[in-house]
């Protein structure tokens, strides 16, 4: 009875949908034999996208895109809504995974020469997908509407503002006004949940259509270059000995996608949601804002480059990078596909990867920004207070004089340690002061403290003359104990 009913419903639907003639042949289309585990990253990226859509819709049911409530609605999700924290965590970590997987997919396609004739357009649409995904990451980070978000929009706006001629208009379009405010958040919300996902899904449909139409690339064989005149005929020939996509080849995609989901869920459950970090407040210097990890390289590059290079890095570099990606299939759409015969391709992947890792590492450690807690949390190393110059004479102990001790206290209390390390501990915004007395004389030390300069604030108005004296007395002791101080060492001897 039940079966008859199911059967007739199925027949009714099939008569109208005609899946047997449309989707079934698509599932069974032959793919070249030997397409192996290297071919699973694209579908895994798509699986993560599906997670993003599902978790994103759930989050949008609770999230309030208004500046005075956005932060609270995230806290509500984190602490009150049942499983809300997990939704946020999964949305964040699957986004991270999606960006990673996309880069792995792109690298694989690049190294396998799969962008060459006749799949140039598939690659270009893929570059569009990359742009959409990165913009999703950026706009998603803005929706957290915390200190980092505020800062991120600021950087984004200043990038947009550098567009020649129409810069100011682009900024207004992006921010919904001339300044970051309520309309900015509404705008980013609309971009993040309607506009860019719509674009992304359309591009994805086109991408998949092209993949089906042109077939997936067969695994490259060294010494078998692509020749547009003969390629398609040869490919047809290969497909005759191919295997059907479903189920022979699809199970690999399915297994890998399943593992990907497991990892995303596991990481989300273990590490929990990211942020929101702190309520945005433009006057709060305590903040040490930084973008999500995949933009850290840009953050590091900006921080480390001279100010004159800013326009280049913010405006020209992104356009240049995407431009390069787009012209790749036109520059080399024939010839060898195997990476073994393409040393330049391999070298460029390696150098891009190394640059990315190094800059990202610098972005994480950000040695250029002060360490805000160092003055209270990092104590003056003990051997700078009391030391024994000659280990053979342990009774010959030196201790700082009361005035010098006073100076050490001033150094802590005036937050010098936030920018300056002693024995490597503390901020790295300014030079490590461990051996400063070997470099600077007493007069130079006084000048540096009172006048500041070279990115150091002037302390002249904040310190009493006696404090400056004590501080400089202490700084004068900072040198290897068997070495004299700089030049006029007489006045510096401990
Ligand atoms: C906001 C960060 C910051 C703070 C806070 C800061 N400095 Fe500096 N300091 C720097 C920078 C940056 C330099 C390097 C200046 C240059 O390159 O000309 C520097 C240089 C110095 C130098 C010269 C070091 C050398 O080897 O040339 C001394 C001495 C010094 N600072 C002492 C202090 C003292 C004492 C304090 C606290 C009263 C202090 N600084 C607070 C950032 C800071």
């Amino acid at each position: 009875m039940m079966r008859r009913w199911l059967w007739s419903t199925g027949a009714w639907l099939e008569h109208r949908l005609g899946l047997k003639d449309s989707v079934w042949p698509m599932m069974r289309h032959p793919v070249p034999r030997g397409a192996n585990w290297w071919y699973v990253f694209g579908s895994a990226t798509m699986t993560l996208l599906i997670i993003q859509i599902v978790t994103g819709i759930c989050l949008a049911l609770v999230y309030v895109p208004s500046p005075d409530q956005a932060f609270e609605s995230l806290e509500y999700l984190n602490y009150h809504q049942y499983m809300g924290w997990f939704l946020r965590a999964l949305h964040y970590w699957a986004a991270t995974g999606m960006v990673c997987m996309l880069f792995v997919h792109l690298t694989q396609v690049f190294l396998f020469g799969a962008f060459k004739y006749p799949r140039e357009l598939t690659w270009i649409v893929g570059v569009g997908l990359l742009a959409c995904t990165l913009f999703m990451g950026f706009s998603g980070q803005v929706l957290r509407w915390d200190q980092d978000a505020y800062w991120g929009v600021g950087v984004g706006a200043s990038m947009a503002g550098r567009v020649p001629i129409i810069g100011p208009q682009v900024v207004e379009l992006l921010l919904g006004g001339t300044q970051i405010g309520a309309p900015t958040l509404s705008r980013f919300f609309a971009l993040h949940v309607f506009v860019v996902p719509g674009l992304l899904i359309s591009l994805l449909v086109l991408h998949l259509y092209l993949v089906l139409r042109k077939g997936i690339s067969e695994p490259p064989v060294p010494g078998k270059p692509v020749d547009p005149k003969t390629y398609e005929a040869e490919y047809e020939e290969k497909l005759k000995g191919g295997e059907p996509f479903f189920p022979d080849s699809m199970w690999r995609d399915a297994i890998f996608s399943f593992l990907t989901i497991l990892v995303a869920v596991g990481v989300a459950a273990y590490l929990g949601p990211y942020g929101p970090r702190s309520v945005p407040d433009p006057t709060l210097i305590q903040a040490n804002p930084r973008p999500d990890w995949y933009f850290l390289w840009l953050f590091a590059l900006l921080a480390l480059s001279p100010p004159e290079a800013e326009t280049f890095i913010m405006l020209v570099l992104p356009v240049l990078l995407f431009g390069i990606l787009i012209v790749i299939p036109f520059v080399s759409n024939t010839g060898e596909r195997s990476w073994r015969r393409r040393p330049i391709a391999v070298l460029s992947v390696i150098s891009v990867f190394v640059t990315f890792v190094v800059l990202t590492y610098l972005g994480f450690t950000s040695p250029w920004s002060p360490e805000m807690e160092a003055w209270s949390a990092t104590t003056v190393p003990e051997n700078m207070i009391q030391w024994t110059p000659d280990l053979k004479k342990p009774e010959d102990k030196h201790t700082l004089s009361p005035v010098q001790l006073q100076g050490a206290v001033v150094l802590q209390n005036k937050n010098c340690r936030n920018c300056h390390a002693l024995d490597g501990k503390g901020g790295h915004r300014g030079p490590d002061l461990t051996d400063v007395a070997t470099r600077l004389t007493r007069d130079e030390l006084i000048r540096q403290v009172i006048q500041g300069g070279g990115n150091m604030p002037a302390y002249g108005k904040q310190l009493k003359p006696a404090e400056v004296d004590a501080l400089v007395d202490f700084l004068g002791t900072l040198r290897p104990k068997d070495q004299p101080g700089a030049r006029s060492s007489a006045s510096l001897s401990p």
Side-chain angles (χ1 to χ4, degrees):
M1 173 64 195
M2 185 68 181
R3 257 180 75 186
R4 272 240 320 270
W5 184 81
L6 272 180
W7 188 252
S8 62
T9 313
W12 187 91
L13 283 171
E14 175 56 25
H15 186 66
R16 277 145 193 91
L17 290 169
L19 296 182
K20 213 181 254 168
D21 299 333
S22 56
V23 174
W24 185 239
M26 218 152 78
M27 297 293 287
R28 296 286 292 175
H29 76 279
V31 296
R33 230 163 249 289
N36 46 27
W37 287 99
W38 287 111
Y39 287 73
V40 297
F41 303 119
S43 61
T45 312
M46 197 167 79
T47 304
L48 287 166
L49 173 67
I50 293 169
I51 295 189
Q52 288 309 85
I53 294 173
V54 174
T55 52
I57 290 174
C58 295
L59 287 174
L61 295 177
V62 178
Y63 177 78
V64 188
S66 96
D68 45 350
Q69 286 175 63
F71 192 86
E72 271 159 40
S73 66
L74 294 183
E75 298 261 287
Y76 178 82
L77 273 163
N78 275 358
Y79 299 111
H80 301 288
Q81 175 74 48
Y82 175 67
M83 288 299 268
W85 68 272
F86 181 71
L87 267 185
R88 285 203 62 231
L90 189 56
H91 198 67
Y92 176 78
W93 292 106
T96 296
M98 189 175 155
V99 175
C100 285
M101 204 59 86
L102 192 51
F103 275 106
V104 174
H105 177 51
L106 186 132
T107 310
Q108 182 265 328
V109 167
F110 179 69
L111 285 177
F112 277 45
F115 57 85
K116 297 196 177 202
Y117 181 88
R119 303 186 180 84
E120 300 94 331
L121 194 56
T122 322
W123 168 272
I124 292 171
V125 174
V127 174
L129 284 169
L130 174 69
C132 286
T133 306
L134 289 179
F135 188 81
M136 286 305 280
F138 175 69
S139 53
Q141 162 188 324
V142 172
L143 297 191
R144 273 203 306 268
W145 207 246
D146 56 6
Q147 199 62 251
D148 292 349
Y150 209 87
W151 175 83
V153 187
V155 175
S158 113
M159 279 170 111
R162 283 159 210 260
V163 175
I165 307 169
I166 53 164
Q169 282 82 351
V170 178
V171 173
E172 270 207 58
L173 196 69
L174 201 65
L175 301 186
T178 48
Q179 289 195 348
I180 302 176
T184 315
L185 188 52
S186 302
R187 236 157 244 211
F188 272 89
F189 185 69
L191 285 172
H192 188 80
V193 305
F194 304 118
V195 183
V196 184
L199 192 63
L200 200 149
I201 292 170
S202 320
L203 284 177
L204 181 60
V205 169
L206 183 56
H207 195 68
L208 292 178
Y209 168 77
L210 285 166
V211 170
L212 279 174
R213 178 153 171 74
K214 289 293 160 196
I216 61 164
S217 67
E218 74 284 7
V221 181
K224 277 213 159 173
V226 173
D227 180 353
K229 287 199 206 73
T230 56
Y231 180 83
E232 262 140 341
E234 281 170 19
Y235 187 74
E236 282 301 314
E237 203 48 46
K238 261 194 208 94
L239 285 188
K240 293 208 177 109
E243 54 185 24
F245 174 66
F246 174 84
D248 292 34
S249 161
M250 203 167 131
W251 65 269
R252 263 184 246 109
D253 289 292
I255 290 178
F256 189 73
S257 285
F258 180 69
L259 289 178
T260 309
I261 294 176
L262 277 191
V263 171
V265 167
V267 171
Y270 184 68
L271 292 178
Y274 182 83
R277 293 221 303 178
S278 46
V279 193
D281 176 0
T283 58
L284 214 139
I285 51 141
Q286 196 81 343
N288 182 8
R290 54 188 56 196
D292 287 355
W293 66 271
Y294 34 89
F295 291 122
L296 268 179
W297 65 274
L298 195 62
F299 170 67
L301 195 62
L302 276 174
L304 295 175
S305 309
E308 307 85 63
E310 236 170 51
T311 301
F312 176 80
I313 295 172
M314 284 190 161
L315 188 63
V316 185
L317 193 65
V319 176
L320 202 68
L321 290 180
F322 272 99
I324 292 175
L325 283 178
I326 288 175
V327 302
I328 282 175
F330 297 106
V331 174
S332 104
N333 75 333
T334 59
E336 283 287 347
R337 279 187 46 212
S338 170
W339 57 270
R340 287 169 221 266
R341 301 276 175 103
R342 290 163 56 224
I344 299 181
V346 175
L347 273 182
S348 30
V349 167
I350 293 175
S351 42
V352 167
F353 184 76
V354 169
T355 315
F356 179 81
V357 169
V358 169
L359 284 176
T360 303
Y361 172 78
L362 287 173
F364 263 114
T365 49
S366 50
W368 54 84
S369 54
E371 226 176 79
M372 286 304 180
E373 270 82 49
W375 70 277
S376 56
T378 317
T379 51
V380 177
E382 209 177 309
N383 65 352
M384 293 187 176
I385 306 289
Q386 194 174 64
W387 64 93
T388 323
D390 189 349
L391 285 178
K392 285 188 203 112
K393 287 187 253 164
E395 68 284 358
D396 185 19
K397 264 203 186 114
H398 282 248
T399 306
L400 290 185
S401 71
V403 175
Q404 289 164 344
L405 274 174
Q406 191 70 37
V409 174
V410 174
L411 182 97
Q412 287 301 103
N413 286 347
K414 292 297 166 185
N415 306 3
C416 309
R417 287 297 288 286
N418 291 0
C419 292
H420 291 287
L422 288 179
D423 249 2
K425 294 197 191 67
H428 292 278
R429 182 92 178 81
D432 191 314
L433 294 181
T434 311
D435 295 328
V436 69
T438 59
R439 295 192 292 272
L440 300 181
T441 64
R442 187 180 171 89
D443 289 342
E444 287 166 333
L445 286 170
I446 293 177
R447 195 177 329 123
Q448 179 72 31
V449 170
I450 291 183
Q451 300 179 350
N455 268 332
M456 170 166 151
Y459 281 84
K461 293 222 172 73
Q462 293 185 41
L463 295 172
K464 298 188 193 83
E467 285 176 318
V468 176
D469 267 348
L471 183 59
V472 172
D473 265 6
F474 171 64
L475 292 174
T477 68
L478 296 178
R479 53 188 163 80
K481 303 311 174 204
D482 50 357
Q483 262 184 47
R487 268 176 284 164
S488 56
S489 58
S491 61
L492 289 168
S493 63

